[in-house]
């Protein structure tokens, strides 16, 4: 029903196919509907005309001037890397067209394994702060051309129907890196937007594309643990095949974007199952956040399997292992915390790594996003693995951490143990929270909990993200705060909030895990709604989400596909959403930007 209503609303607001909805050369979003509240955390850029930008990337929230990064990425991405990623995504679309054709011709799941794996790794490598190494991206492109050729042969051998169009006929196999970079400018965002000829339709293309990037990243985490769903991969290839077309098909593109949300929901559920099956169900656990004397290695990113592999290889080597950023929740898993040399967590969120990695007295391994261009001070101690890549940084292959361990043994390590130690508590996965549901419901009904807040998502470097710190600290003391993702670092270290409990004895802040654990929040919300015989939108629950990159876009699409309303998103809304599309989201889901903290608290406490 919501999908139908959204289609109808977009049909009312959109211009006829072929006409530009907004006159702008670089896709700025100005003249937002006056009914949308714009707070101090929403930066709106004026319309700007730029001829032949060196690059054009607006896939993350921090994009320059809230229009696009055009000379160098805010993330540090160079124009060359950006154009190579554009080429890689064009290659993904071509492979996807042939993957759809191969399945329609009768290809089995086993025959699609290589295409599936390549798709996940290639797409993941284009996410914000994952891969800055042009040579690695070029390898993905060349591999994609080989896979496309194999799929073509498979389709013909099975008597299938070949896909039409230039994207399907793409052949980059004989191009060198310079030629690939030149080709990248022909498939940039401005060029593709111009080819479609309708800004609102192209906005839906970008929404689906960036959401699908996030979904592929989550699916790649599943694959690491041996979980691949052929139905999900079929859906992912259909999504990319749809955005390969320049047809301004408003209804079809809308359905495609919502399909991403549905697929991502299935992927998050699969990832939750994979984590629990592999490492045990998470349980509330105190994590030491102060130093322990000894040699050490720091692990950042998301992939728990890499952490387990390192823990096994460091047993008996006299080296302690610390987590960083999104790896903090690893300490809640029985299969990981059983290792005594997993001694604690060091540091905060990804954007502080240039300072935190510089001070860490040992090597650092980054398993997934987010990585930043390193400082010289620690570049020789930095290692990447999986899809992560930075030119000049050592890359671990085949899960062999021997070089990392050897370097750790030669580094100074921490000279002493800090005493008294400090701790954070993690592990409030839905399996740990749901047994407390009765306690939560009683507290709500008895007035001991005035409202529940979900404050989470992706953190970033802007000052305006202090909104989430202020929000958590200024909420009434009888509110329950659920959190997940690296955005929790905005307040879990707050002296004001540390150790707070509710009147019923429950911790006031429940850390549900990584952004990868978003499924836990979905489960808790839906189960509470069932227990109270209401919808999720009727719960005494407010969602305030910090968004930065494409995983957050995927989670947002999942929430919208579920029909969740009244989400506050900040510190600003995505630059790739046009005013017409934004107005539809406001009308149908009441999505809104974060604003003044006290004003937002007042509205949220009133259920608005």
């Amino acid at each position: 029903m919501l999908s139908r209503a959204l289609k109808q609303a977009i049909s009312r607001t959109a211009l006829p196919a072929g006409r530009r909805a907004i006159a702008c050369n670089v896709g700025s979003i100005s003249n937002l509907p006056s009914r949308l509240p714009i707070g101090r955390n929403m930066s709106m850029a004026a319309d700007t005309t730029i001829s032949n930008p060196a690059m054009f990337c607006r896939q993350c929230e921090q994009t320059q001037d809230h229009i696009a990064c055009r000379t160098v990425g805010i993330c540090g991405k160079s124009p060359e890397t950006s154009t190579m990623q554009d080429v890689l995504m064009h290659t993904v679309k071509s492979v996807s067209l042939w993957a759809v054709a191969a399945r329609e011709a009768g290809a089995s799941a086993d025959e699609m394994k290589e295409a599936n794996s390549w798709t996940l790794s290639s797409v993941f490598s284009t996410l914000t702060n994952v891969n800055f190494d042009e040579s690695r991206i070029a390898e993905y492109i060349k591999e994609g051309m080989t896979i496309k050729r194999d799929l073509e042969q498979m389709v013909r051998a099975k008597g299938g129907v070949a896909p039409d169009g230039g994207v399907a006929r793409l052949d980059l196999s004989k191009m060198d890196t310079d030629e690939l970079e030149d080709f990248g400018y022909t498939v940039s965002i401005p060029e593709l937007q111009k080819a479609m000829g309708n800004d609102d339709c192209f906005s839906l293309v970008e929404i689906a594309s960036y959401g699908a990037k996030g979904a592929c990243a989550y699916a790649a985490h599943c694959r690491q643990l041996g979980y691949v769903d052929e139905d999900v991969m079929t859906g992912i290839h259909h999504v990319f095949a749809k955005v390969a077309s320049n047809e301004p098909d408003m209804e079809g593109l809308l359905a495609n974007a919502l399909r991403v949300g549905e697929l991502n929901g299935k992927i998050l559920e699969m990832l939750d199952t994979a984590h629990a099956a592999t490492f045990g169900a998470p349980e509330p656990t105190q994590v030491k956040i102060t130093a322990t004397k000894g040699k050490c290695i720091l692990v950042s990113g998301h992939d728990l399997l890499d952490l387990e592999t390192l823990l096994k290889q460091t047993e008996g080597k006299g080296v302690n292992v610390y987590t960083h950023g999104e790896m903090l929740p690893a300490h809640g898993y029985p299969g990981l915390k059983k290792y005594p040399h997993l001694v604690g967590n060091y540091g905060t969120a990804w954007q502080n790594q240039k300072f935190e990695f510089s001070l860490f007295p040992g090597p650092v391994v980054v398993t997934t996003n987010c990585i930043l261009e390193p400082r010289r001070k620690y570049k020789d101690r930095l290692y990447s693995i999986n899809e992560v890549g930075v030119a000049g940084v050592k890359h671990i292959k085949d899960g062999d951490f021997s070089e990392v361990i050897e370097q750790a043994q030669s580094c100074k390590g921490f000279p002493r143990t800090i005493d008294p130690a400090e701790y954070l508590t993690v592990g409030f996965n839905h399996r740990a929270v749901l047994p407390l549901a009765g306690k939560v419901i009683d507290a709500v009904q008895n007035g001991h909990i005035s409202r529940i807040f979900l404050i989470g998502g992706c953190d970033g470097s802007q000052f305006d993200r202090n909104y989430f710190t202020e929000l958590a600290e200024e909420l009434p003391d009888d509110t329950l705060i659920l959190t997940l993702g690296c955005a929790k670092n905005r307040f879990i270290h707050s002296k004001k909030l540390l150790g707070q409990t509710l009147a019923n004895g429950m911790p006031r802040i429940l850390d549900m895990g990584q952004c990868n654990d978003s499924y836990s929040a979905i489960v808790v919300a839906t189960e509470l709604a069932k227990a109270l015989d209401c919808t999720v939108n009727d719960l005494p629950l407010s969602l305030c989400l910090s968004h930065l990159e494409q995983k957050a876009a995927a989670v947002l699409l999942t929430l919208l596909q579920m029909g969740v309303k009244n989400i506050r998103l900040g510190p600003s809304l995505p630059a790739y959403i046009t005013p017409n599309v934004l107005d539809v989201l406001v009308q149908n889901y009441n999505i809104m930007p974060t604003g003044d903290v006290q004003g937002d608290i007042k509205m949220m406490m009133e259920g608005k």
Side-chain angles (χ1 to χ4, degrees), residues 170-471:
L170 184 70
D171 185 2
L172 309 174
S173 57
K174 296 181 180 179
M175 289 188 181
D176 60 25
T177 301
D178 288 340
E179 290 170 325
L180 288 172
E181 288 177 9
D182 290 340
F183 176 74
Y185 289 104
T186 71
V187 292
S188 65
I189 291 296
E191 290 301 315
L192 296 177
Q193 184 170 357
K194 188 188 304 180
M196 180 158 281
N198 184 300
D199 285 356
D200 294 329
C201 286
F202 193 74
S203 179
L204 291 171
V205 166
E206 289 193 84
I207 290 169
S209 298
Y210 302 142
K213 282 189 176 190
C216 282
Y218 288 131
H221 293 308
C222 293
R223 182 198 56 191
Q224 284 280 84
L225 299 169
Y227 287 69
V228 178
D229 187 315
E230 176 64 9
D231 289 339
V232 164
M233 292 309 306
T234 298
I236 286 172
H237 284 133
H238 271 283
V239 167
F240 284 121
K242 178 62 180 176
V243 298
S245 169
N246 291 328
E247 181 187 359
D249 170 21
M250 184 71 72
E251 186 168 317
L253 290 169
L254 171 63
N256 201 45
L258 292 175
R259 185 178 194 179
V260 172
E262 182 181 8
L263 288 168
N264 188 61
K266 294 177 180 177
I267 293 167
L268 289 174
E269 181 179 7
M270 180 166 59
L271 184 55
D272 175 77
T273 299
H275 278 155
T278 307
F279 308 110
E283 53 195 24
T285 303
Q286 282 199 320
V287 183
K288 191 178 180 184
I289 56 172
T290 48
T292 297
K293 181 180 179 180
K295 308 292 186 178
C296 50
I297 296 171
L298 185 64
V299 183
S300 190
H302 297 78
D303 270 323
L304 302 182
L305 186 64
D306 294 321
L307 175 61
E308 182 188 50
T309 302
L310 176 63
L311 288 169
K312 288 179 178 178
Q313 293 181 24
T314 47
E315 280 189 293
K317 300 289 178 65
V319 175
N320 292 325
V321 176
Y322 293 80
T323 56
H324 176 269
E326 281 278 69
M327 295 298 280
L328 168 62
H331 295 266
Y333 288 92
L336 297 174
K337 68 179 182 177
K338 70 181 182 181
Y339 293 94
H341 59 297
L342 178 63
V343 295
N345 187 78
Y346 168 91
T348 54
W350 66 270
Q351 73 272 12
N352 300 319
Q353 66 185 252
K354 289 193 175 186
F355 172 73
E356 293 172 351
F357 290 2
S358 294
L359 296 178
F360 188 78
V364 179
V365 179
V366 181
T367 64
T368 61
N369 57 314
C370 293
I371 192 170
L372 295 173
E373 187 70 35
R375 294 173 59 185
R376 284 194 304 255
K377 189 172 182 180
Y378 65 87
K379 190 171 184 176
D380 66 337
R381 297 187 281 111
L382 187 63
Y383 296 80
S384 65
I385 193 171
N386 306 320
E387 291 80 14
V388 182
V390 176
V393 169
K394 296 180 283 288
H395 189 74
I396 297 168
K397 295 182 179 180
D398 303 320
D400 181 4
F401 291 96
S402 56
E403 185 177 354
V404 182
I405 297 168
E406 186 176 328
Q407 186 174 34
Q409 291 170 329
S410 68
C411 287
K412 292 182 179 179
F414 285 108
R416 63 188 180 90
T417 297
I418 301 298
D419 189 35
E422 295 180 11
Y423 296 86
L424 292 173
T425 302
V426 301
F428 290 100
N429 178 272
H430 65 91
R431 296 171 181 83
V433 174
L434 285 181
L436 302 174
K439 202 172 183 179
V440 172
I441 291 169
D442 287 343
V444 170
Q445 293 174 336
N446 295 331
H448 294 150
I449 294 178
S450 60
R451 195 161 185 85
I452 304 170
F453 286 80
L454 174 61
I455 308 174
C458 299
D459 202 6
S461 57
Q462 307 108 303
F463 172 79
D464 277 355
R465 290 185 185 270
N466 287 338
Y467 168 92
F468 298 97
T469 307
E470 295 172 24
L471 175 64

Side-chain angles (χ1 to χ4, degrees), residues 88-96 112-124 137 139-145 147-148 223 233 237:
L88 179 53
M89 286 310 301
H90 208 63
T91 306
V92 168
K93 295 173 187 177
S94 184
V95 168
S96 294
M112 298 303 297
K113 277 184 179 179
E114 189 175 3
N116 290 345
S117 183
W118 175 87
T119 299
L120 297 181
S121 293
S122 297
V123 175
F124 197 174
I137 298 170
E139 288 176 13
Y140 282 127
I141 294 169
K142 297 298 184 184
E143 290 170 7
M145 286 293 98
I147 289 170
K148 172 183 168 288
R223 182 198 56 191
M233 292 309 306
H237 284 133

